[in-house]
Amino acid sequence: MLIIAAQTGFCVPDAASLPVQQTTQEAVQTNSTTNQSTLQKPAQTNPDAAAKTEPSDTDKAQQEKKDTILKFVIAMAGVLLSSIIIFLGLTIYNKFFVNKNMFADNNSDDVLNTPKTVEEAVTFYIKRNKLC
């Protein structure tokens, strides 16, 4: 992540950027346009002009947050829907297509309890491996 951040310029401090060289005439033009724009800002107090201005950074951040939450909710709804579909599909498959005779009923003799004596262990081994 550090390499990606360095390549995109996030790690570069502002002081490290190259100084901009301006001529005196360009500096005067820049200062005069900034003064004109600051003079025009208070004049734009009517509602029509305010509606035409771009949304502030907080509005943009809130909108991005809402968009992110919406995307997350949509993704989680997809996960929930796919889980339900898989569950229903496997239930239907087990009900209609799996042969119940494949699974023998568990006998009390087949229970995998730990034998308590050597004799039980030998008997269990013989029955389990069908040696008798």
Side-chain angles (χ1 to χ4, degrees), residues 25-95:
Q25 186 178 11
E26 289 174 346
V28 170
Q29 287 176 352
T30 306
N31 288 339
S32 64
T33 54
T34 11
N35 290 338
Q36 288 175 357
S37 64
T38 55
L39 291 175
Q40 290 175 356
K41 284 181 184 176
Q44 296 178 352
T45 56
N46 60 3
D48 295 333
K52 292 179 183 178
T53 59
E54 292 184 18
S56 65
D57 290 338
T58 56
D59 293 338
K60 287 180 183 177
Q62 288 177 350
Q63 184 62 35
E64 287 178 3
K65 189 176 182 181
K66 288 179 183 177
D67 291 343
T68 304
I69 291 172
L70 180 65
K71 288 178 185 177
F72 178 77
V73 168
I74 290 172
M76 289 300 109
V79 169
L80 180 66
L81 181 67
S82 63
S83 298
I84 291 170
I85 290 171
I86 290 171
F87 175 76
L88 293 175
L90 288 174
T91 303
I92 292 169
Y93 178 79
N94 283 335
K95 187 173 273 190

